[in-house]
Amino acid sequence: MTEKMKTADLLDWLDEQTPRFTHMSDQIWEHPEILWGEFFSSGLQMDFFEKEGFRITRNPAGMNTAFIAEWGHGKPVLAFIGEYDALPGLSQALKPEREPIIAGAPGHGCGHNLLGVAGLAAAVATQKWMEKNQFTGTIRYYGCPAEEIGGGKVFMARDGLFDDLDAALSYHPGIYNMPSHMATVAIVSSNFNFKGVSAHAGSAPYMGRSALDAVELMNVGANFLREHVLDGTRIQYVITNGGQAANIVPEFASVNYILRAEKPEYLMEVAERLRNIAKGAALMTDTTFEEVFESGFANMTSNRYLAALMEKVMQTIGPVEFTKEEMAYAQKINNTFPGTNADYIEDKIDTLKIPEEFAALLRKYKDLPLLGGNFPAMDGGAVFKGATDVGDLSQVAPTGALWTACFPTCTPGHSWANVATGGMSIGHKGMMHAARILTLTAVEMFTDQTHFQKAREEFEKAMAGKKYKPLIPEGFQPLQRKP
Ligand SMILES: [Zn+2]
């Protein structure tokens, strides 16, 4: 029999391999690709997994920038979740002030270059450990495109690709090291495209029917709707086409809407009321419209049992040590945003309803721009107003969620600041911290398989007999770009 691999050996292996993982994360950071265009990033990861002996499924659920990498056989099946899409317009150099590398180009403003590679590193590390210690079971890595609107996981969930999972471990870069109990809202988005009649705006406006008027009246209606929906419902829009010249009555105009609510059933109700407002606007202006659905993510219910397990594991490996130089770099970034580090911490405690015990711990770090400490899984019952397609996965399989410190404290999500730390040592440290926590949690789960059972019991209780229903229309297909 081959010699067994101990947990300490596994952590050593991850340390030794760190340059390979940070190099991959930096390559993805240097080639930021937005939704449905992640050919470089997914290709890089597929090649890596193939060389490590994983079986690859290409184009799952009809998505040409998605893949599934699998190793091992039989039950239990544990998944690591990867993403690699960037955000438009957030190109940023590795500098503590706003400076795009290419103005208007995309950048990794949500740290998905770190997110995917942390899951990949954990999958490969768990494989090494299972191989050495002759454990059976299946490890899977889901390469999920288009997390920022689009929602690769929604299509995977709809097509049943998560159905045989016993559990999934997800991760997202953040400002602290913390397994998450948090819930997120459900979200849907649609484009409303109005069509009127163009005419000379000066000499013959009576012959025109303005599509822009319809868009504006729809927005007025939506703004009145705001008062008469449940607290926590969000209604957001941007006019994506308002006509081309003021001397032409606009024939075409479009507005993009995003709706968010805690309960998917209620979200569907608000979407129907918004549709009626569009109908009213068309009637008032003698125009017509079509609604083009864009995306829909289910709400997320992360698994408390898995969060508690990750917390236990995390406490065994100590905090992330940031250097003086990293702290100074992060502080410079913080200085470009309003408020002090302490203000930001108080604001988080307030809006996330952070329990007192955890709040006291956070306040200890209140003057630091980077929070390297390990924090307990908080459970204040707040519902995070951001949305993620991990929501759809969490409705199908018990899903643990983890954050680690990769960004300075005062920075809003989806910002240049996240790009500026995600491509250097600060982001690398947070990413490898996540890889260690995910790996050791997986090892613990395969060693004592009652963990799968306990996570499942909580999942069944939370679902209360309800079956997952995607928030996308029947037959709706992901957008596919050419490589
Ligand atoms: Zn993200």
Side-chain angles (χ1 to χ4, degrees):
M1 198 170 140
T2 50
E3 206 187 324
K4 292 214 169 179
M5 191 179 201
K6 298 193 188 77
T7 314
D9 304 332
L10 189 53
L11 291 176
D12 287 346
W13 184 86
L14 273 168
D15 283 347
E16 270 165 41
Q17 299 286 320
T18 293
R20 269 174 95 197
F21 299 128
T22 54
H23 178 61
M24 181 187 284
S25 161
D26 287 348
Q27 281 179 290
I28 296 172
W29 186 93
E30 284 159 19
H31 292 83
E33 299 169 303
I34 61 164
L35 70 167
W36 307 126
E38 311 94 333
F39 295 100
F40 172 83
S41 309
S42 59
L44 198 64
Q45 296 198 351
M46 271 193 280
D47 286 351
F48 185 93
F49 274 118
E50 232 168 3
K51 283 188 192 119
E52 294 293 335
F54 279 67
R55 304 180 289 277
I56 308 286
T57 305
R58 286 164 205 275
N59 308 331
M63 298 182 288
N64 56 7
T65 55
F67 71 95
I68 302 170
E70 186 181 83
W71 183 88
H73 292 280
K75 287 276 194 183
V77 186
L78 178 66
F80 297 99
I81 305 302
E83 295 163 15
Y84 29 64
D85 57 324
L87 285 158
L90 288 182
S91 169
Q92 168 67 32
L94 292 175
K95 286 188 177 166
E97 65 273 343
R98 180 70 172 124
E99 190 188 307
I101 299 171
I102 306 168
H108 271 286
C110 204
H112 293 181
N113 59 309
L114 306 166
L115 190 161
V117 177
L120 170 143
V124 176
T126 307
Q127 171 216 21
K128 298 286 171 265
W129 183 84
M130 286 180 73
E131 212 167 29
K132 275 260 183 205
N133 295 344
Q134 298 174 337
F135 268 86
T136 53
T138 305
I139 310 161
R140 234 178 250 160
Y141 173 91
Y142 286 84
C144 306
E147 193 278 333
E148 312 282 4
I149 303 189
K153 295 177 205 74
V154 180
F155 299 98
M156 289 182 174
R158 179 186 67 185
D159 290 5
L161 302 183
F162 299 133
D163 285 356
D164 66 340
L165 292 182
D166 291 295
L169 296 177
S170 74
Y171 157 65
H172 203 292
I175 63 158
Y176 28 46
N177 303 315
M178 185 193 75
S180 169
H181 276 167
M182 261 190 321
T184 64
V185 293
I187 186 170
V188 284
S189 68
S190 278
N191 291 303
F192 291 85
N193 302 325
F194 287 88
K195 185 177 183 301
V197 178
S198 66
H200 193 296
S203 63
Y206 54 91
M207 292 179 73
R209 299 290 182 268
S210 169
L212 178 60
D213 288 359
V215 162
E216 291 197 65
L217 285 163
M218 180 179 178
N219 293 348
V220 169
N223 287 328
F224 277 105
L225 174 67
R226 273 179 216 287
E227 195 192 341
H228 306 288
V229 290
L230 285 175
D231 277 357
T233 307
R234 298 231 158 133
I235 303 172
Q236 294 141 347
Y237 60 79
V238 284
I239 297 175
T240 50
N241 175 12
Q244 295 192 308
N247 62 355
I248 309 166
V249 173
E251 183 182 3
F252 298 102
S254 298
V255 57
N256 176 259
Y257 266 86
I258 291 182
L259 303 175
R260 301 167 195 259
E262 290 183 19
K263 298 241 164 25
E265 302 78 16
Y266 187 68
L267 184 68
M268 291 293 112
E269 229 178 277
V270 177
E272 190 53 32
R273 288 165 75 189
L274 183 70
R275 210 161 284 131
N276 283 335
I277 287 172
K279 283 180 195 163
L283 196 61
M284 279 189 278
T285 51
D286 203 7
T287 58
T288 57
F289 80 97
E290 63 161 356
E291 179 186 350
V292 180
F293 182 85
E294 191 175 46
S295 69
F297 298 176
N299 53 309
M300 170 146 171
T301 315
S302 62
N303 194 279
R304 287 178 159 76
Y305 184 83
L306 292 175
L309 190 62
M310 284 197 270
E311 182 187 326
K312 227 171 96 191
V313 163
M314 184 175 70
Q315 300 300 357
T316 66
I317 52 177
V320 177
E321 306 284 353
F322 290 112
T323 63
K324 260 194 353 227
E325 291 74 26
E326 287 162 344
M327 287 286 185
Y329 180 88
Q331 187 59 54
K332 273 190 191 158
I333 292 177
N334 270 1
N335 292 346
T336 69
F337 290 92
T340 63
N341 301 348
D343 291 341
Y344 183 85
I345 298 277
E346 284 307 321
D347 188 50
K348 274 266 174 225
I349 290 169
D350 198 39
T351 53
L352 295 177
K353 300 182 195 160
I354 291 179
E356 199 36 55
E357 191 191 343
F358 179 26
L361 249 175
L362 261 181
R363 285 191 186 104
K364 281 193 191 161
Y365 288 81
K366 70 179 171 41
D367 296 321
L368 297 179
L370 290 169
L371 309 180
N374 286 327
F375 292 97
M378 70 163 177
D379 195 1
V383 177
F384 185 54
K385 296 299 185 293
T388 168
D389 63 0
V390 181
D392 290 71
L393 165 67
S394 79
Q395 305 282 329
V396 182
T399 303
L402 170 73
W403 301 89
T404 63
C406 299
F407 307 135
T409 49
C410 294
T411 58
H414 290 187
S415 71
W416 66 265
N418 295 355
V419 191
T421 54
M424 46 85 80
S425 60
I426 295 173
H428 297 162
K429 285 184 179 176
M431 175 183 88
M432 290 313 295
H433 196 54
R436 283 183 207 103
I437 297 164
L438 294 172
T439 304
L440 294 191
T441 304
V443 161
E444 172 60 31
M445 290 173 80
F446 280 110
T447 307
D448 176 1
Q449 299 191 1
T450 59
H451 291 307
F452 285 101
Q453 223 173 312
K454 286 179 183 147
R456 171 67 54 178
E457 276 163 24
E458 185 198 310
F459 170 79
E460 300 292 354
K461 214 167 137 197
M463 291 300 284
K466 267 199 296 181
K467 263 196 81 83
Y468 162 68
K469 210 169 145 241
L471 295 180
I472 51 176
E474 231 181 285
F476 184 67
Q477 289 304 325
L479 178 81
Q480 291 302 274
R481 297 185 206 272
K482 288 210 170 75

